Amino acid sequence: MTFGQLEIFVALSEAQSFTLTARRLGISQPAVSHALKSLETALNVSLFDRQGSQIVLTPIGAQLLERAREILGLSRTMQQEAASFRGLDTGNLRIGSFGATSSLQLLPDLMSAFHRAYPGIDVFIEEAADDIIVKWLEERRIDMGFVVLPDDRFETIPIATDQFVALVPRQSALAKQERVTLSDLCNDPFIMPESGSVKIVSALFAAAGLTPQTRYRTSQLLSTLSMVGRGQGVSVVAEMAVPAAHPDAPWVIRPLSPAHPRMIGLALHPTAVRSPAVTAFLRIAKTLRTRPRGA
């Protein structure tokens, strides 16, 4: 059993395709097949079930996948610690990001500061919805990820304070109000954002004993902005996810009354060993904590 075989095993579990795995790793498809066969022979178990052109992890394969990720993570940590001892800041870092809030508002400053301090460390950003980021953290596919706090499943570090706001058409009566209540938003067709905030937004209305007139469900923020701008409904979104509005934009945001803040943080698997790259990134992140616009 070699590290190369484990890397191919992990990559194959994510791509679920010999062809895609070979392309991703820059090796031949026969090399992927040979590595998997050699690993299965060494372990004396079948790691995948072949179902036509697709492959699916066997129960023991799913169990050993977590061990493989642990081993590879420890290997990377050892390499980075050795490089740090030699005075070489090299390595890599995998971060999960959930859309506009973290990818557009938080990561740019973080990445700029990190690359200035550690130009030799490669950072890979993987984007997905909130629940997928959590799944990747649990599977150790990423070293850390942005999550909405609190989250007791992980070790977390608060990074930014955000808040939910009402998104309404500029020409509507609601746009003339300084603040908008959840009850106000129940009088118009509601556009439910499905891109990760749906559980939180639904919980806000439920806690207030209200039910919005959900007529549309959108998976992209740009779709929500466009529909609200055309007067097709109203919505509730995270303030940090919304781009700065042009004076002529057909939509506006208004603070909710009462306010509904949220805290965003970086999360790590509780048993993961922190590599020097992870430690360095967290140290920089703590110095660049952000507050919502207008706070």
Side-chain angles (χ1 to χ4, degrees):
M1 182 171 62
T2 67
F3 287 118
Q5 291 170 351
L6 293 179
E7 288 175 351
I8 289 174
F9 170 40
V10 171
L12 197 54
S13 72
E14 295 171 356
Q16 296 184 324
S17 163
F18 285 92
T19 301
L20 292 177
T21 299
R23 189 179 305 159
R24 172 180 172 182
L25 298 178
I27 59 178
S28 67
Q29 186 171 326
V32 175
S33 299
H34 177 73
L36 176 62
K37 183 177 180 180
S38 298
L39 181 58
E40 289 180 325
T41 299
L43 296 173
N44 197 27
V45 295
S46 294
L47 298 172
F48 293 95
D49 283 330
R50 282 71 168 177
Q51 300 179 358
S53 60
Q54 291 190 325
I55 57 173
V56 179
L57 282 167
T58 62
I60 186 60
Q63 180 178 333
L64 294 179
L65 176 62
E66 182 176 350
R67 300 303 179 200
R69 285 182 168 133
E70 290 178 7
I71 292 170
L72 293 174
L74 286 171
S75 173
R76 286 192 297 270
T77 298
M78 289 179 65
Q79 292 171 354
Q80 291 180 23
E81 288 179 347
S84 179
F85 177 78
R86 299 194 307 270
L88 303 173
D89 291 316
T90 61
N92 59 71
L93 190 59
R94 298 160 301 168
I95 302 174
S97 174
F98 61 86
T101 298
S102 49
S103 296
L104 300 182
Q105 299 294 337
L106 301 178
L107 271 174
D109 288 344
L110 282 170
M111 293 297 296
S112 294
F114 185 73
H115 280 309
R116 284 196 300 270
Y118 303 95
I121 297 179
D122 295 322
V123 181
F124 302 93
I125 307 298
E126 297 198 49
E127 292 186 308
D130 308 42
D131 54 344
I132 301 300
I133 298 298
V134 168
K135 182 174 182 291
W136 287 348
L137 283 166
E138 292 173 337
E139 295 175 346
R140 303 187 191 219
R141 175 172 167 175
I142 53 179
D143 295 307
M144 66 180 76
F146 286 95
V147 298
V148 177
L149 303 181
D151 195 321
D152 296 334
R153 292 168 292 186
F154 307 109
E155 180 180 351
T156 59
I157 297 174
I159 297 297
T161 302
D162 193 10
Q163 62 185 349
F164 285 95
V165 294
L167 182 66
V168 301
R170 181 176 293 277
Q171 301 304 320
S172 68
L174 292 177
K176 297 177 175 60
Q177 299 180 195
E178 290 188 7
R179 293 183 174 273
V180 173
T181 67
L182 292 176
S183 180
D184 292 334
L185 297 175
C186 291
N187 298 321
D188 294 288
F190 192 79
I191 302 169
M192 183 65 74
E194 296 278 358
S195 57
S197 298
V198 58
K199 292 182 180 178
I200 300 176
V201 172
S202 297
L204 293 180
F205 282 98
L210 300 169
T211 303
Q213 300 179 44
T214 302
R215 186 171 298 177
Y216 308 100
R217 295 180 183 273
T218 57
S219 60
Q220 300 292 330
L221 176 63
L222 288 178
S223 299
T224 307
L225 294 172
S226 177
M227 294 176 72
V228 172
R230 291 197 300 267
Q232 293 177 278
V234 298
S235 190
V236 170
V237 295
E239 184 181 20
M240 281 184 127
V242 183
H246 186 275
D248 296 328
W251 50 264
V252 296
I253 60 173
R254 290 291 180 264
L256 289 175
S257 179
H260 293 281
R262 72 169 180 172
M263 178 68 72
I264 300 169
L266 280 168
L268 302 88
H269 193 286
T271 63
V273 178
R274 290 190 185 183
S275 69
V278 169
T279 301
F281 191 88
L282 293 177
R283 183 169 59 249
I284 289 176
K286 290 177 182 178
T287 68
L288 296 175
R289 295 184 180 181
T290 308
R291 303 191 68 81
R293 294 192 298 264

